[in-house]
Amino acid sequence: MIRMARMIKIFDTTLRDGEQAPGYSMNLQEKLEMARQLERLGVDIIEAGFPVASPDDFEAVREIAGRVEHATVAGLCRAVKKDIDRTWEAVREARHPRIHIVLATSDLHLEYKLNATRAQVLATAEEMVAYAKTLCEDVEFSAEDAMRSDPAYLAEVFTAVIRAGATTVSVPDTVGYAVPEEITAMFRYLRAHVPGIEKVCLSVHCHNDLGLAVANSLAAVEAGAGQVECTVNGIGERAGNAALEAVVMAIATRKDKLDAETAIKTVEISSASKLLSTITGVAVPPNQPIVGQNAFAHEAGIHQHGMMKNPLTYQILSPESVGIRRQSSMVLGKHSGRHAFEEYLTELGYTLAPDRMNEAFERFKLLADRKKTITDRDIDALMRTRALEFPETYELLTFVVNSGSNISATACVKVRRGEEILERVAFGEGPVDAAFKAIDKIVKLGITLVSFDIHAVTEGEDALGQVTVKLQFPDGEVVTGRGLTPDIFESSIKAYLAAINKYLAEKPEEALGGASWRSGKS
């Protein structure tokens, strides 16, 4: 008789824990796009946010809950009735809703954060789980700072919340303090000392402060965990969370050791990583396991020789297994027809409705007029950037930049706003700075440039240059904008305008002083 490997649930918290990290905030449209990709990836649970944190967070969780078709949608809350009510209100329309309650259990947190006794926390945990259970069948309880908690007390808390109806209990290494041996010991202790734990899912949530999040998560799996909480690209508070791609591929590659598997469609891993990077404007480090640019690169001669003989000599998994496709045998250029373009997209894994295919083809033709050869990476970048565009309050018409070693940099930028054509000239420390200042003269919003990043999407003199900017507006909101063209100045201007358009698209007109100029009336 063949013994089946244990199925490990993947609980993705990219949109909650990941999004809390500085520089990774996302708006509603971006969260929805990421949630769609997480569904394609096949995660079991999407933690969509912290509904009580803000109206925007509540709305994002509610929208995701209403649109996700297969995955469970969870919302995080504190062990407080009003938090639980707000979370239930946000997730209740999900096909598979989950209320996720968090409450600290370490003596350090009890004394300095909660100002409560063990008995009080125990009673609160049991009472709030029981209350959540009256609203939602699926309730998860996380013991914050579990790995610095007294194991006997943690077992007592888990016994109480399971009795109250929790269906999942989670052991977070909240500050990334544990080493794998301690994780293993804790999980074995809990499995031996918590009555009824075999009837619920035992989860692990590891942070990466000491670089051990993935190792600790795998130690938990080996010790009996049935769920791993992780994020795409390992993003999250401080040094981040366990990286989903590393956890999943370690389980897939080392079945002999872990005797487990997941439902993740691993060929979607690269797409998820790239989409998140595009949304947040934060590049993936080249040496990031599984998804980094150098993850499958071999430069040393002895490695290259071994790879030519047998890839297994220096490569334990293939790029294709995580969705990094080999260059297509088909070559696209400005003379390529629609049928060839559709075939190319199919090879890359894109399936589009007829109206979106028409739009994609038009964008491809515009790019093909400016590039000799179109590569897979060009198409990927084009498709990802298009999915995240916003209505254009300001549309770029033309620009002229002038710069040199003995002259001041100047820029003239012309845009359309409704029925108006607006044009301004400005000086700057360089051509990009001058262009941004010209735009500032047009929009008059009091913008501060927080960050500017540029990198080539492909190789060659006509490579696409992707620019990502982060702008801070007077109300304190920081917004990311992207531009993608073969001209770095044009990409910079488009990125700046994209951030402005995104900001304006999310603001009611009354918040902008009744901005009737949106319709072209000044």
Side-chain angles (χ1 to χ4, degrees):
M1 183 176 176
I2 300 176
R3 183 172 173 271
M4 299 293 289
R6 287 190 308 125
M7 287 298 297
I8 305 300
K9 294 178 183 178
I10 297 299
F11 177 112
D12 181 274
T13 186
T14 302
L15 297 175
R16 199 278 301 169
D17 199 330
E19 201 246 355
Q20 288 177 191
Y24 286 95
S25 61
M26 308 176 211
N27 59 39
L28 176 58
Q29 181 178 330
E30 290 166 335
K31 286 185 176 182
L32 287 170
E33 191 66 29
M34 194 68 213
R36 282 191 282 268
Q37 178 58 41
L38 292 173
E39 274 243 278
R40 289 190 289 269
L41 183 60
V43 303
D44 299 280
I45 302 97
I46 297 173
E47 185 166 55
F50 190 5
V52 80
S54 71
D56 286 347
D57 230 31
F58 172 83
E59 185 62 22
V61 176
R62 192 180 67 83
E63 286 288 332
I64 291 169
R67 300 192 193 195
V68 165
E69 296 182 2
H70 304 294
T72 294
V73 177
L76 185 71
C77 56
R78 296 167 299 180
V80 179
K81 275 191 175 182
K82 69 178 180 66
D83 279 33
I84 294 170
D85 289 338
R86 190 66 167 159
T87 296
W88 175 238
E89 189 180 350
V91 303
R92 66 185 305 164
E93 297 303 322
R95 287 172 174 81
H96 309 287
R98 174 180 293 189
I99 293 174
H100 182 191
I101 299 172
V102 61
L103 181 62
T105 55
S106 70
D107 289 332
L108 185 66
H109 278 235
L110 266 61
E111 180 179 356
Y112 291 101
K113 190 178 82 169
L114 300 179
N115 191 27
T117 66
R118 286 187 175 188
Q120 288 171 325
V121 167
L122 177 64
T124 298
E126 186 169 12
E127 180 187 356
M128 290 301 101
V129 168
Y131 176 67
K133 191 70 172 183
T134 67
L135 304 173
C136 184
E137 181 60 32
D138 190 354
V139 178
E140 175 171 347
F141 177 84
S142 283
E144 187 181 8
D145 207 25
M147 286 307 301
R148 292 192 297 176
S149 299
D150 172 18
Y153 177 62
L154 184 60
E156 190 178 356
V157 172
F158 278 176
T159 299
V161 297
I162 291 172
R163 184 170 60 241
T167 48
T168 301
V169 290
S170 180
V171 180
D173 183 20
T174 302
V175 293
Y177 181 72
V179 297
E181 294 79 9
E182 291 171 320
I183 293 280
T184 298
M186 178 66 85
F187 273 74
R188 288 177 176 167
Y189 180 89
L190 293 172
R191 291 179 68 196
H193 292 85
V194 177
I197 201 166
E198 71 283 353
K199 298 176 183 177
V200 302
C201 183
L202 184 56
S203 182
V204 67
H205 180 117
C206 295
H207 279 263
N208 205 38
D209 298 72
L210 296 177
L212 294 170
V214 171
N216 284 339
S217 297
L218 296 175
V221 169
E222 195 171 13
Q227 176 180 287
V228 176
E229 302 178 16
C230 46
T231 60
V232 175
N233 294 345
I235 70 170
E237 295 274 10
R238 304 180 313 280
N241 290 266
L244 179 150
E245 60 275 6
V247 170
V248 167
M249 293 313 295
I251 291 173
T253 305
R254 296 306 311 270
K255 284 184 180 179
D256 60 318
K257 174 69 173 174
L258 298 169
D259 192 27
E261 60 186 8
T262 72
I264 294 296
K265 300 176 182 67
T266 62
V267 293
E268 292 289 341
I269 284 177
S270 179
S271 293
S273 171
K274 289 176 181 176
L275 177 62
L276 181 63
S277 181
T278 299
I279 287 173
T280 61
V282 181
V284 176
N287 64 332
Q288 179 100 345
I290 314 300
V291 293
Q293 186 177 342
N294 294 344
F296 298 98
H298 303 273
E299 185 171 334
I302 189 169
H303 286 208
Q304 292 173 344
H305 179 73
M307 286 290 295
M308 287 186 287
K309 295 289 187 179
N310 185 337
L312 291 176
T313 53
Y314 288 102
Q315 195 165 275
I316 58 174
L317 57 142
S318 70
E320 291 84 359
S321 67
V322 295
I324 300 175
R325 305 171 184 89
R326 301 294 184 187
Q327 178 69 37
S328 172
S329 58
M330 193 183 302
V331 177
L332 291 184
K334 67 178 182 178
H335 299 297
S336 299
R338 181 188 172 94
H339 181 70
F341 177 69
E342 289 186 16
E343 286 285 324
Y344 198 93
L345 284 187
T346 300
E347 281 192 31
L348 292 180
Y350 291 104
T351 303
L352 302 180
D355 58 332
R356 289 200 64 196
M357 181 63 75
N358 291 337
E359 184 184 0
F361 183 63
E362 288 303 315
R363 290 167 63 84
F364 156 71
K365 294 297 283 187
L366 290 174
L367 178 60
D369 284 338
R370 305 177 68 174
K371 288 201 67 179
K372 294 177 182 178
T373 303
I374 307 297
T375 69
D376 295 357
R377 289 164 66 187
D378 290 322
I379 297 296
D380 270 337
L382 201 65
M383 299 298 286
R384 290 198 310 275
T385 304
R386 175 65 190 94
L388 299 167
E389 288 183 352
F390 285 77
E392 290 188 302
T393 299
Y394 291 97
E395 177 191 358
L396 176 64
L397 297 179
T398 62
F399 71 93
V400 176
V401 294
N402 190 17
S403 183
S405 58
N406 296 317
I407 60 173
S408 298
T410 61
C412 177
V413 179
K414 183 189 291 187
V415 301
R416 178 183 285 114
R417 185 181 72 190
E419 297 173 0
E420 284 188 286
I421 303 298
L422 303 171
E423 185 175 19
R424 295 290 185 274
V425 177
F427 295 94
E429 293 300 318
V432 172
D433 180 52
F436 290 174
K437 286 177 177 174
I439 296 171
D440 288 340
K441 285 185 176 182
I442 294 171
V443 302
K444 300 176 183 177
L445 287 174
I447 297 166
T448 300
L449 178 65
V450 176
S451 68
F452 175 89
D453 178 72
I454 182 168
H455 72 275
V457 173
T458 51
E459 297 80 17
E461 294 180 357
D462 61 353
L464 279 176
Q466 179 168 291
V467 172
T468 303
V469 299
K470 291 186 179 180
L471 308 183
Q472 185 171 38
F473 292 84
D475 60 3
E477 183 173 353
V478 176
V479 179
T480 301
R482 289 162 290 271
L484 183 72
T485 75
D487 184 317
I488 61 171
F489 297 121
E490 183 179 358
S491 294
S492 301
I493 294 169
K494 286 193 168 185
Y496 204 81
L497 287 173
I500 292 169
N501 288 331
K502 184 197 297 188
Y503 175 78
L504 295 175
E506 295 171 345
K507 299 296 178 184
E509 289 196 3
E510 57 270 20
L512 299 167
S516 59
W517 47 257
R518 280 185 173 177
S519 59
K521 301 173 185 176
S522 294

